[in-house]
Amino acid sequence: MNILKTLLPITLFLLVLIFSKGPWHVLLLTVAQIVYVPLTLKLVMIKGDWFSKFYPYISIPAYLSIALIQLITNTEWDVLFAAIYLLFTFVIALYGLSRFLMSGFTHIEEFSINLAMIYLVMGGFWFFASTANIDTGFTPMLTWLTAIHFHYSAFLLPVFVGFLGRVYKPRSYSLIASIILLAPMIVALGITFSTVIELLSVIAYMIGIYGLIHISCRAPFSRSLQKGLVCLSFAALGITILFSLLYASGNLFGSHSISIDFMLRFHGIINAIVFALTGIIGWSLSIPSAKIIKWTFPISKIRGKRVIGENILAEIVKNNQYQGLVNDMSLYEPDINRQTLAPRIVDFYENTNDYRLFAKVKWQAWFKPFAIIYRLISRSVKQIDLPLSSQQIEMTGEIQAISDDKDGRINTRAWVRKINGEVVFVALYSSHEKDARTYMNISLPLPWSAMIGILELNQIGNELQLSSKKVQTPNADSGIYVAIKHWLVKLPIEEQFHVKETIDGILVANHIMWIFSIPFLKIEYHIYHR
């Protein structure tokens, strides 16, 4: 079966190469569709999963359809054949999405591979539009070029980037990979709306590509031949991107020194042979293994409906009483020391109901437009409903015991916080242990889902740090997740609390949140004993 998966696409392309009477440049996309896509999927798919089992039944008709379009040109069947290929790319996108839902943003190299498969459906759509002569607002040639763009730049390149991250992942890798992943959409925006954006997207590509060349040359490959082929593959892009820069500059300044015909002959052929083919051969010599993480920590079973608020507590509250967020802070030893931690911090977590909480919310300026939109949603949902104003306000609330049978975790309690009598937070607190470390396990019910915060506690002097970042161990459970049915997706969000006691017995807690490592929210709490 593996030999068939390899030989069939190659045989089909050879038939097209020999017998097709269409223009030569069409082969640049055809070779990607019926040779590079199947060979790359063969490197990516996991044996025994649903896609690998379903693959022969959807791929063979798709590859045959592409071949028939080229062999039997300009017939009424072309649109049907293109639709079959579009459906195939849609299934590939579903596979990428399903893989993403299992891993989320845990590893950017895996996200790169998953996003590549999602991007491919855009290539399928633009190919269908080109074949069906749909008026996209662009010339037929530009519509076809967009299809080829999403096959090479948005599919093959992100897969190669993901493989490189599996082999070697320096600190610069995440930034470079992010540029490569964002660039295809920026290019599309530039072509559609602005030649300035188009030029900026090419510059972004240049930064990402030259970064990849640097990383690939430093990567510790086990085989020198593989390293040479992979470096050559990325180096090819380093050459062709210079001509893309000249072409984009010509579009902006009106000096068309580089024509589309030249781009096809030089840029297209080098990318199709040196970048794509060399890269696939190089990575097939030794496929880097994926870093697959299976989370095993307990997750709250409680999910909300359209409105959360206090409505969600009606059927899950029990008669037992809890005074604080934890019964005894010694639960988190040895990562903290109850005896040396500031006494007021210990008392706050064990007797939370005895304290008054004042908060000052500060949204970062760049995030405020998003915060305004978010607030419209959060006010109606009555969950995580933070104010837009930075004025200090009091958050009132209480701790309520939650049925462990309905929640699924142990010693669960809800901390309901309000501003002027309106619910802003309903958080369900519990804990779990893994590898001799105890984590604070927090669930915030959302409509038909839940946001999960797994925080590790660390002591700094007599102060306390709670963080969703993996501070101590790389395989820690720490993180922010969203639970939807049986899926648990790690979000690109991080949060950290730093709690300290002042000389006059007041607690000051700074809560910072990041998205894609960019800070977007800071909340400063002042906590007073009643």
Side-chain angles (χ1 to χ4, degrees):
M1 182 61 73
N2 287 332
I3 296 176
L4 178 63
K5 287 179 182 178
T6 303
L7 290 181
L8 178 62
I10 295 175
T11 302
L12 287 174
F13 179 70
L14 290 176
L15 289 172
V16 171
L17 184 63
I18 295 169
F19 297 106
S20 174
K21 297 180 180 179
W24 71 269
H25 67 260
V26 173
L27 295 175
L28 297 176
L29 178 55
T30 303
V31 70
Q33 292 171 311
I34 60 178
V35 177
Y36 298 156
V37 167
L39 293 182
T40 304
L41 289 175
K42 184 173 178 289
L43 302 179
V44 169
M45 71 176 72
I46 299 171
K47 185 178 180 180
D49 65 10
W50 70 267
F51 183 75
S52 66
K53 294 176 181 177
F54 197 45
Y55 178 77
Y57 306 104
I58 57 171
S59 62
I60 293 175
Y63 302 144
L64 284 173
S65 295
I66 295 299
L68 289 171
I69 288 176
Q70 304 307 327
L71 293 172
I72 311 173
T73 56
N74 299 321
T75 71
E76 63 273 13
W77 294 97
D78 286 358
V79 174
L80 175 62
F81 292 148
I84 292 172
Y85 182 75
L86 173 58
L87 178 62
F88 172 58
T89 61
F90 179 75
V91 176
I92 294 173
L94 288 180
Y95 182 49
L97 180 61
S98 67
R99 286 166 54 113
F100 167 74
L101 291 174
M102 297 303 294
S103 61
F105 295 93
T106 307
H107 298 288
I108 191 168
E109 63 271 24
E110 301 307 317
F111 176 67
S112 181
I113 295 171
N114 297 336
L115 186 60
M117 290 187 281
I118 295 172
Y119 270 153
L120 188 59
V121 74
M122 298 298 295
F125 168 77
W126 284 98
F127 174 71
F128 177 81
S130 175
T131 305
N133 296 316
I134 295 174
D135 184 6
T136 60
F138 305 112
T139 64
M141 175 56 77
L142 200 53
T143 300
W144 181 85
L145 286 172
T146 307
I148 202 170
H149 167 72
F150 276 101
H151 279 77
Y152 284 89
S153 299
F155 175 69
L156 291 178
L157 180 56
V159 170
F160 294 172
V161 170
F163 285 160
L164 181 61
R166 289 180 179 181
V167 174
Y168 181 54
K169 192 178 176 182
R171 293 185 64 179
S172 60
Y173 173 83
S174 295
L175 175 61
I176 290 168
S178 299
I179 292 172
I180 295 295
L181 295 179
L182 289 172
M185 299 310 296
I186 300 175
V187 168
L189 289 174
I191 292 173
T192 306
F193 298 109
S194 169
T195 53
V196 174
I197 297 175
E198 182 184 12
L199 179 60
L200 291 175
S201 70
V202 174
I203 294 172
Y205 256 129
M206 290 182 66
I207 295 170
I209 288 168
Y210 285 111
L212 291 174
I213 295 171
H214 176 71
I215 293 174
S216 64
C217 291
R218 295 186 59 190
F221 288 92
S222 58
R223 302 173 66 174
S224 57
L225 177 59
Q226 182 176 42
K227 182 170 185 174
L229 291 172
V230 170
C231 290
L232 178 60
S233 173
F234 287 130
L237 292 181
I239 296 172
T240 58
I241 195 65
L242 296 175
F243 291 90
S244 296
L245 179 64
L246 291 175
Y247 180 78
S249 299
N251 287 340
L252 177 61
F253 299 111
S255 56
H256 297 286
S257 57
I258 302 292
S259 65
I260 289 181
D261 182 66
F262 176 84
M263 291 291 287
L264 287 172
R265 292 180 183 277
F266 182 82
H267 183 283
I269 292 175
I270 290 180
N271 281 352
I273 297 176
V274 186
F275 161 65
L277 182 59
T278 303
I280 289 171
I281 294 173
W283 288 116
S284 65
L285 294 177
S286 177
I287 305 171
S289 58
K291 299 177 179 68
I292 300 175
I293 292 181
K294 293 185 178 180
W295 294 293
T296 57
F297 53 81
I299 300 170
S300 173
K301 296 185 294 185
I302 296 171
R303 303 289 183 267
K305 296 181 181 178
R306 193 188 69 82
V307 178
I308 308 301
E310 289 182 290
N311 300 338
I312 197 167
L313 301 179
E315 297 180 359
I316 62 175
V317 171
K318 63 180 183 180
N319 293 329
N320 297 28
Q321 292 297 318
Y322 289 123
Q323 187 64 13
L325 295 174
V326 299
N327 293 338
D328 190 332
M329 283 294 284
S330 60
L331 173 70
Y332 294 99
E333 292 179 341
D335 300 296
I336 66 165
N337 186 329
R338 192 181 188 280
Q339 303 305 316
T340 59
L341 193 62
R344 190 69 81 184
I345 295 176
V346 174
D347 190 60
F348 167 71
Y349 279 95
E350 294 179 351
N351 299 284
T352 312
N353 284 337
D354 293 341
Y355 287 80
R356 297 180 68 189
L357 191 71
F358 294 84
K360 185 181 291 185
V361 178
K362 299 178 182 178
W363 297 97
Q364 292 292 332
W366 73 269
F367 194 79
K368 281 186 177 179
F370 301 99
I372 293 170
I373 298 171
Y374 167 78
R375 185 81 199 283
L376 296 174
I377 301 171
S378 65
R379 290 191 70 175
S380 62
V381 174
K382 296 187 182 299
Q383 177 64 301
I384 323 178
D385 183 27
L386 294 170
L388 297 174
S389 170
S390 60
Q391 293 184 343
Q392 189 177 71
I393 47 172
E394 182 173 8
M395 288 187 177
T396 59
E398 59 180 346
I399 306 295
Q400 299 186 47
I402 300 298
S403 169
D404 290 346
D405 290 337
K406 294 184 177 180
D407 182 272
R409 298 172 296 165
I410 58 171
N411 297 323
T412 310
R413 70 281 318 268
W415 190 14
V416 181
R417 278 181 275 175
K418 302 178 182 179
I419 296 176
N420 298 324
E422 295 290 330
V423 173
V424 293
F425 275 107
V426 178
L428 310 180
Y429 283 73
S430 183
S431 63
H432 76 270
E433 184 179 338
K434 176 188 175 183
D435 298 333
R437 171 180 277 275
T438 302
Y439 297 87
M440 188 170 285
N441 186 318
I442 308 168
S443 177
L444 291 91
L446 299 173
W448 303 283
S449 60
M451 180 175 287
I452 310 295
I454 307 297
L455 308 181
E456 59 178 72
L457 279 67
N458 296 290
Q459 187 170 336
I460 303 172
N462 68 344
E463 299 172 0
L464 179 65
Q465 182 190 77
L466 304 93
S467 179
S468 70
K469 299 183 177 183
K470 302 180 189 300
V471 178
Q472 296 292 338
T473 54
N475 63 339
D477 286 342
S478 319
I480 306 296
Y481 308 80
V482 62
I484 306 171
K485 293 186 177 181
H486 62 279
W487 289 305
L488 184 66
V489 180
K490 192 173 190 297
L491 300 176
I493 297 174
E494 297 172 315
E495 67 175 342
Q496 187 166 282
F497 298 83
H498 191 94
V499 189
K500 64 181 180 181
E501 180 181 351
T502 64
I503 55 175
D504 51 0
I506 299 170
L507 293 180
V508 176
N510 286 310
H511 179 199
I512 301 176
M513 296 194 72
W514 299 263
I515 182 166
F516 291 109
S517 299
I518 303 171
F520 69 95
L521 174 65
K522 179 179 180 181
I523 307 176
E524 184 179 289
Y525 294 99
H526 287 256
I527 305 169
Y528 303 85
H529 193 275
R530 295 184 188 276

